[in-house]
Amino acid sequence: MVMKKQSNTYTLIYAVALVFVVGVLLSVVYQALHQRQEVNIANDTRLQILHAARIPTGSGDVADKFNSHIKKAYIVNYHGVITDRNPEHAFNACLNMASEFKQPGDRRKLPVLECATPDGIKYIVPVSGAGLWGPIWGYVAFDSNGSTIYGAYFAHQGETPGLGAEIEKPKFSDQFEGKNIFTSRGKFTSVTVCKPGQEPSSGDYVHGVSGGTITSQGVSKMLRESLEPYTQFFRTLRN
């Protein structure tokens, strides 16, 4: 029996077959590209970490440059104690920091990366938070005193170009160099991001991006909430 192409049954069977074929093709393409996507994500993360440590990236293999500068990578707990010395685990924690930072501070796995720079070993930690339109994140490199910021890099998923998206530009991140997250008496204050004329009475600060008030506030909150669980580790460095 020949089925009429104008019949409902033919249309239904054709649609189901088409969906099946397209689904199979998409699955094949996903499997073929998935590994490449994971490599690109990992290399982009490596670049962000190197930017935070003010390491010129230039040309060449990103993974090789990363491995030549990152001398150690480990995970510490809320009490500043190293709980995992496996560098791969620490790097994976950086890749998955958004979900990790949803945990209470005293339950997080806190990755630390030791980076060799022309100015000595720097300690890099990830930060994660929320901007106006979506996630924001970054990496902050510290001097061996556990307080002074050596460099910082910030990124975003969907902040407004020319406004909140400016947190990704050096003009904003360069302000953090030399700022301290502890007072001279050892009190944790983080670094406040504020508007000109609204500077805090204590603690170091930088000025937010013009027209990106909510994103700037998000960076300020992100730093405070992301760095606070590291305070015991930073104090260990200070001592």
Side-chain angles (χ1 to χ4, degrees), residues 129-169:
L132 175 59
W133 301 113
I136 56 176
W137 65 91
Y139 296 90
V140 184
F142 289 88
D143 286 342
S144 58
N145 63 10
S147 178
T148 306
I149 294 177
Y150 179 74
Y153 178 85
F154 302 107
H156 64 92
Q157 181 172 297
E159 299 306 289
T160 307
L163 299 175
E166 294 298 299
I167 65 170
E168 201 165 6
K169 300 293 181 62

Side-chain angles (χ1 to χ4, degrees), residues 15-239:
V16 170
L18 183 61
V19 169
F20 175 77
V21 171
V22 172
V24 170
L25 290 175
L26 288 175
S27 178
V28 171
V29 171
Y30 173 78
Q31 293 298 329
L33 297 179
H34 182 61
Q35 186 174 3
R36 172 74 64 176
Q37 290 173 338
E38 288 188 334
V39 170
N40 289 340
I41 291 172
N43 282 336
D44 185 54
T45 299
R46 293 185 177 100
L47 283 174
Q48 293 178 22
I49 292 170
L50 292 175
H51 282 314
R54 293 158 49 186
I55 300 294
T57 51
S59 59
D61 186 79
V62 175
D64 288 345
K65 180 162 288 191
F66 180 84
N67 293 331
S68 69
H69 285 279
I70 301 301
K71 299 304 182 182
K72 292 181 182 179
Y74 43 84
I75 293 174
V76 302
N77 61 17
Y78 188 77
H79 303 289
V81 177
I82 297 177
T83 59
D84 189 340
R85 295 182 181 274
N86 188 314
E88 185 176 351
H89 293 171
F91 183 70
N92 287 338
C94 290
L95 289 174
N96 300 309
M97 64 179 173
S99 57
E100 189 64 40
F101 277 51
K102 292 178 182 177
Q103 300 287 334
D106 58 353
R107 294 173 55 188
R108 294 177 193 165
K109 295 178 180 178
L110 306 170
V112 178
L113 300 95
E114 294 188 12
C115 182
T117 76
D119 299 312
I121 294 294
K122 307 301 174 184
Y123 298 81
I124 306 172
V125 302
V127 294
S128 179
L132 175 59
W133 301 113
I136 56 176
W137 65 91
Y139 296 90
V140 184
F142 289 88
D143 286 342
S144 58
N145 63 10
S147 178
T148 306
I149 294 177
Y150 179 74
Y153 178 85
F154 302 107
H156 64 92
Q157 181 172 297
E159 299 306 289
T160 307
L163 299 175
E166 294 298 299
I167 65 170
E168 201 165 6
K169 300 293 181 62
K171 182 179 179 180
F172 175 72
S173 59
D174 287 352
Q175 295 182 86
F176 288 84
E177 295 177 15
K179 303 297 182 181
N180 287 279
I181 62 170
F182 288 94
T183 66
S184 58
R185 296 186 177 182
K187 179 183 177 182
F188 173 74
T189 57
S190 186
V191 176
T192 303
V193 183
C194 63
K195 289 183 176 181
Q198 297 183 5
E199 293 80 4
S201 57
S202 62
D204 281 357
Y205 62 86
V206 301
H207 290 138
V209 295
S210 178
T213 301
I214 295 179
T215 306
S216 298
Q217 292 173 346
V219 174
S220 191
K221 181 180 180 182
M222 172 178 72
L223 290 171
R224 184 174 63 255
E225 295 184 351
S226 297
L227 297 178
E228 190 278 332
Y230 281 97
T231 52
Q232 287 303 116
F233 171 75
F234 290 139
R235 287 193 173 103
T236 300
L237 295 181
R238 288 169 62 82
N239 292 333

